[in-house]
Amino acid sequence: MARYVFIGAGAVGSAIGGLLAQQQIDVLLVARGDHAQAMINNGLTVRCPDLSFTVRPKTVTGPEQARLRVDDVLVLTTKSHQAEAAVQTWADAPVYDGDAEVGRAGERLPILIALNGVAGEEIALRYFDRVYAVCVWTPVVMIEPGEVLVRSVPRRGVFHVGRYGGSTDRAADDALLDTVAKDWQSAAFTVHRPAAVMEWKYRKLISNLSNVFQALLGDTSQAGELKEAADAEARRVLSAAGIAVTSDEDERAAREDSFHVQPIPGEPAELGGSTWQSLVRGTGSIETDYLNGEIALIGRRVGHPAPINARLAGLARSAARNGLRPGAVGVDELTAILTGSE
């Protein structure tokens, strides 16, 4: 049976890992800081709209404590800007078959890239032979160490999973993805295996462009036109670059068929996404360079500038660097910056 090793077990990794552990599926969480220590000391609490539980999966802080084995499946769940450092750290970790060391992780183990953005797969492919893209739709929040909030019912999330890069053994790919689908669906997730998984990830990228508005403004009720401008700019850039994107209708149907977001007892009805959480926790870094900044990169590559998304990425970097909290920027100020009228 597979063991799932969640590298960077923050909100998403801890949520998936916790729900798998509840189903008696073997899980290893790799975390850091207060969150790691809280899970080591007291276990991981997962709270959903309709249930709450605590599990105690093994938790470590690095590969030297993990002792990887040949049946492990690595799942990268860091933030996108942390991906390269993580895969560098883990690619050369030794892998064991019983007591015998049989190779290193990059050549022996598969790695699933369960990140926002579209850069993680290419980063991992530099170090790992078998890379699988995962488009993640699951509304999770981590603010307090040792606890994650999963705000969806009846399913806990939906994933589109597929091989990234050329395959040398399709039977092995199919066997792995069959196992992932079976195990993760038992934990109340929906797993799809589309022929073109990156089309789903590019569509998710478009959705994630609005994360920065929540992080900067806090209240986004007056930001509709700004969101639409960033969205439209991104779609123009992707079209100019010839990048295929899953349709809005297919994307919406996949989520609505799986889950709806509901409040969790004792928590505010409105809680923010991953970018908002980075500012709330004061991490000092933020992943928008791989979201809005990805659109800026693609635009520069094909000679189709994306000034709105480029400016948003810069504002988010500054906010994280200076320890700003959500709501530190007003909508009028943001409008002036994005339109060049300040």
Side-chain angles (χ1 to χ4, degrees), residues 78-102:
T78 62
K79 292 291 199 302
S80 296
H81 62 287
Q82 301 161 338
E84 186 147 17
V87 295
Q88 285 178 345
T89 297
W90 285 83
D92 295 319
V95 178
Y96 294 87
D97 188 353
D99 293 330
E101 183 178 328
V102 294

Side-chain angles (χ1 to χ4, degrees), residues 195-257:
V197 65
M198 292 306 293
E199 293 183 12
W200 286 90
K201 294 207 72 167
Y202 274 102
R203 178 60 187 82
K204 176 73 184 307
L205 172 64
I206 292 173
S207 294
N208 285 143
L209 298 178
S210 65
N211 291 9
V212 68
F213 292 102
Q214 188 182 44
L216 294 174
L217 298 172
D219 178 5
T220 62
S221 60
Q222 303 301 312
E225 292 185 4
L226 295 179
K227 290 183 184 180
E228 290 173 6
D231 182 292
E233 180 183 82
R235 292 174 188 268
R236 290 194 298 270
V237 165
L238 294 176
S239 177
I243 294 173
V245 179
T246 297
S247 72
D248 293 355
E249 293 75 19
D250 287 346
E251 178 271 324
R252 188 181 306 111
R255 285 188 294 121
E256 290 181 350
D257 286 349

Side-chain angles (χ1 to χ4, degrees), residues 286-304:
I286 204 161
E287 69 177 339
T288 35
D289 285 336
Y290 289 87
L291 303 176
N292 307 85
E294 187 72 30
I295 298 301
L297 168 65
I298 296 169
R300 292 167 185 142
R301 186 179 288 145
V302 299
H304 198 104

Side-chain angles (χ1 to χ4, degrees), residues 3-8 30 68-78 82-93 95 104-115 119-135 160-165 172-173 176-177 180 184 197-198 201:
R3 178 178 68 164
Y4 296 95
V5 180
F6 288 90
I7 300 171
V30 184
L68 295 176
R69 61 199 199 201
V70 291
D71 60 345
D72 282 339
V73 178
L74 306 183
V75 188
L76 185 65
T77 55
T78 62
Q82 301 161 338
E84 186 147 17
V87 295
Q88 285 178 345
T89 297
W90 285 83
D92 295 319
V95 178
R104 59 187 183 86
E107 63 189 9
R108 292 301 304 252
L109 300 181
I111 185 166
L112 278 60
I113 310 301
L115 310 182
E121 287 76 12
E122 196 71 8
I123 290 170
L125 201 61
R126 188 178 297 274
Y127 301 91
F128 282 82
D129 290 340
R130 298 173 63 196
V131 176
Y132 300 83
V134 184
C135 180
H160 292 79
V161 187
R163 179 71 187 246
Y164 183 83
D173 291 341
L176 172 66
L177 295 178
V180 170
W184 292 25
V197 65
M198 292 306 293
K201 294 207 72 167

Side-chain angles (χ1 to χ4, degrees), residues 158-171:
V158 56
F159 303 100
H160 292 79
V161 187
R163 179 71 187 246
Y164 183 83
S167 175
T168 58
D169 189 341
R170 294 192 182 279

Side-chain angles (χ1 to χ4, degrees), residues 129-152:
D129 290 340
R130 298 173 63 196
V131 176
Y132 300 83
V134 184
C135 180
V136 178
W137 288 100
T138 182
V140 298
V141 178
M142 187 190 81
I143 299 175
E144 297 297 327
E147 178 180 270
V148 289
L149 311 178
V150 184
R151 300 180 295 151
S152 47

